[in-house]
């Protein structure tokens, strides 16, 4: 049985006072049947370093190992700050920063090289969905992203039209796409690596159980509904069944 993975992506939506409030209210359940991960803004990773039951992720990393790259953050520095995971390929970075499949693959390789598990985001736009291209887009993104990796990463299927809109995918549709991703991972890596496939896009406590009951959905990547301890604890509890 795979342990569900629930990841909070706080983006740039939270500052130190709210993080302190989150930490003060957070209660890790001793029997937590779920791996809980938080990806805070980089500068605030230290505020979460001693929180019981929480693992850490970076929201992004450089495609370079080190050198003259002002403003960038190496995979090694994420490791040094206590991260176990690193998110790459979020659609906000693909769109706003022009990140290509190749750049994302290189970032994932940097994470793997230092021993972090990449969480690689992918998903189709609404136009691609309407054109019936969802599976072709996903397949292209998966194949490109795993190039050069030795172990299966975590993938997060986040249809772009479902992010921050309050309009999540139908759980059964997401499950079908995710099953395809899982099959692809299995055929490439066998049992090597993590291989969990998450769903992201307008997840909230009320729809968590429905997503998690779908075959192919091994966990969740949560934006807005992860910003308070109460809401994120509810999601983690509901994801644990
Ligand atoms: P929302 O949960 O706010 O839709 O954001 C999803 C997301 O982008 C997580 O990476």
């Amino acid at each position: 049985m795979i342990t569900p993975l629930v990841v909070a992506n706080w983006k740039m939506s939270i500052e130190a006072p709210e993080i302190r409030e989150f930490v003060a209210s957070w209660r890790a359940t001793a029997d937590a049947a779920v791996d809980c991960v938080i990806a805070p803004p980089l500068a605030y990773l230290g505020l979460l370093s001693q929180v019981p039951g929480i693992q850490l992720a970076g929201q992004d990393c450089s495609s370079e190992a080190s050198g003259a790259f002002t403003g960038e953050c190496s995979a090694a520095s994420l490791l040094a700050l206590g991260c176990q995971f690193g998110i790459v390929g979020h659609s906000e970075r693909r769109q706003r920063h022009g990140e290509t499949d190749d750049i994302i693959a290189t970032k994932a390789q940097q994470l793997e090289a230092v021993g972090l598990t990449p969480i690689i985001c992918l998903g189709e736009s609404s136009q691609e969905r309407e054109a019936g291209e969802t599976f072709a887009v996903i397949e292209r993104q998966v194949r490109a992203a795993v190039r050069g990796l030795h172990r299966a990463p975590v993938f997060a299927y986040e249809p772009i039209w479902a992010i921050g809109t309050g309009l999540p995918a139908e759980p059964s549709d997401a499950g079908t796409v995710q099953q395809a991703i899982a099959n692809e991972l299995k055929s490439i890596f066998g049992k090597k690596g993590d291989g969990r496939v998450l769903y992201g896009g307008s997840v909230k406590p009320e729809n968590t159980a429905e997503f998690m009951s779908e075959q192919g959905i091994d966990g969740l990547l949560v934006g807005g509904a992860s910003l308070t301890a109460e809401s994120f604890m509810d999601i983690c509890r509901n994801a644990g069944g």
Side-chain angles (χ1 to χ4, degrees):
M1 163 79 186
I2 298 174
T3 305
L5 174 63
V6 183
V7 182
N9 177 9
W10 283 353
K11 309 188 180 185
M12 206 175 71
S13 304
I14 192 165
E15 297 295 337
E18 296 89 55
I19 295 179
R20 292 202 180 91
E21 227 168 89
F22 183 104
V23 171
S25 312
W26 173 260
R27 300 282 171 270
T29 43
D31 60 343
V34 176
D35 289 335
C36 298
V37 177
I38 295 181
L42 182 65
Y44 296 136
L45 273 166
L47 292 181
L48 293 158
S49 62
Q50 302 296 331
V51 183
I54 287 185
Q55 302 180 69
L56 296 175
Q59 293 183 10
D60 182 39
C61 77
S62 177
S63 57
E64 303 286 344
S66 68
F69 303 102
T70 302
E72 298 205 16
C73 162
S74 70
S77 66
L78 292 180
L79 181 70
L81 287 167
C83 292
Q84 288 89 354
F85 297 87
I87 298 173
V88 293
H90 195 281
S91 62
E92 287 149 20
R93 296 209 59 90
R94 289 181 192 256
Q95 289 175 334
R96 292 182 59 90
H97 301 270
E99 293 193 6
T100 61
D101 286 337
D102 275 350
I103 292 173
I104 291 155
T106 315
K107 290 183 172 201
Q109 288 165 27
Q110 294 291 350
L111 292 167
E112 188 186 75
V114 301
L116 296 178
T117 301
I119 299 172
I120 304 174
C121 303
L122 42 70
E124 81 285 3
S125 65
S126 54
Q127 295 90 319
E128 288 164 337
R129 179 186 185 222
E130 278 151 28
E133 292 168 356
T134 298
F135 283 90
V137 169
I138 300 305
E139 191 179 320
R140 188 200 77 225
Q141 291 178 331
V142 170
R143 291 223 175 126
V146 300
R147 213 178 305 133
L149 293 184
H150 301 94
R151 295 181 296 279
V154 172
F155 270 106
Y157 171 54
E158 296 204 304
I160 296 169
W161 45 269
I163 295 176
T165 58
L167 300 168
E170 277 300 321
S172 58
D173 291 345
T176 309
V177 173
Q178 298 190 211
Q179 195 70 59
I181 297 172
N183 291 342
E184 187 85 13
L185 283 179
K186 247 177 248 142
S187 77
I188 300 170
F189 297 103
K191 285 188 187 324
K192 266 189 291 167
D194 193 305
R196 283 177 285 188
V197 185
L198 318 181
Y199 168 77
S202 299
V203 170
K204 47 190 184 210
E206 305 81 63
N207 60 23
T208 296
E210 201 185 345
F211 277 111
M212 292 304 299
S213 67
E214 280 299 323
Q215 213 192 346
I217 302 187
D218 305 317
L220 302 163
L221 180 56
V222 191
S226 69
L227 291 166
T228 65
E230 290 68 26
S231 174
F232 191 52
M233 283 189 291
D234 281 348
I235 290 173
C236 291
R237 250 184 250 115
N238 295 348

